[in-house]
Amino acid sequence: MDRGVAAILMVIAGGFIALQSPINSRLGHAVGALQGAFVSFAVGTVVLFVAAVLARGGLGRIGAVGEVNAIYLTGGILGAGYVTMALLSVRSLGTGGVIAATIAGELTVAVLIDQFGWFGVTQQVITPTRIVGVILLALGVLLVVKN
């Protein structure tokens, strides 16, 4: 995929994440926090199932999931953790605070993943510039979250 198209798609996906926190918070307020997270994932699962069935290739090699290293099956657990934490935190941090903290956590862990080449990504050394970027982002979180 073209890098420009990928960047635009990720900006749109980032907007989805910003929408997701307050929407899930209201759902959680109505039905309970963990129940709201469950409903959110159940709806997402149905949508992904329909999309996979309609896509060229259908469910493809879904049966090969048993051959995958178990670490690569934890994405759903990580996603459930994020959705639940965002659902609980948005009332006290606000949507901007949740997103700022999310991005700071994402960038910090992403820099470590790149540094060590975890999960098969191409290694990218932590440079002083990258460290400054993480620090500036952390300062930005403090400014957004602080009342």
Side-chain angles (χ1 to χ4, degrees):
M1 175 182 302
D2 176 73
R3 288 176 59 88
V5 171
I8 290 168
L9 291 175
M10 288 312 302
V11 167
I12 293 168
F16 290 171
I17 292 172
L19 291 167
Q20 185 182 35
S21 296
I23 288 170
N24 282 339
S25 177
R26 295 298 297 175
L27 177 62
H29 186 70
V31 301
L34 291 177
Q35 294 81 359
F38 171 78
V39 169
S40 177
F41 268 83
V43 170
T45 298
V46 170
V47 168
L48 287 173
F49 175 77
V50 170
V53 168
L54 295 176
R56 189 171 14 150
L59 294 177
R61 293 185 15 93
I62 194 121
V65 73
E67 301 167 16
V68 174
N69 185 316
I71 192 72
Y72 299 115
L73 301 177
T74 62
I77 296 168
L78 298 172
Y82 170 75
V83 166
T84 303
M85 293 305 132
L87 184 151
L88 294 170
S89 301
V90 73
R91 293 184 199 146
S92 58
L93 295 179
T95 304
V98 166
I99 296 305
T102 297
I103 293 169
E106 285 177 323
L107 182 60
T108 301
V109 174
V111 167
L112 293 172
I113 291 169
D114 287 347
Q115 168 68 27
F116 297 107
W118 293 335
F119 310 112
V121 303
T122 303
Q123 278 188 280
Q124 296 183 37
V125 177
I126 295 178
T127 62
T129 305
R130 286 179 156 223
I131 292 170
V132 169
V134 171
I135 291 169
L136 289 173
L137 189 54
L139 291 172
V141 171
L142 293 175
L143 292 173
V144 170
V145 172
K146 187 171 174 89
N147 287 329

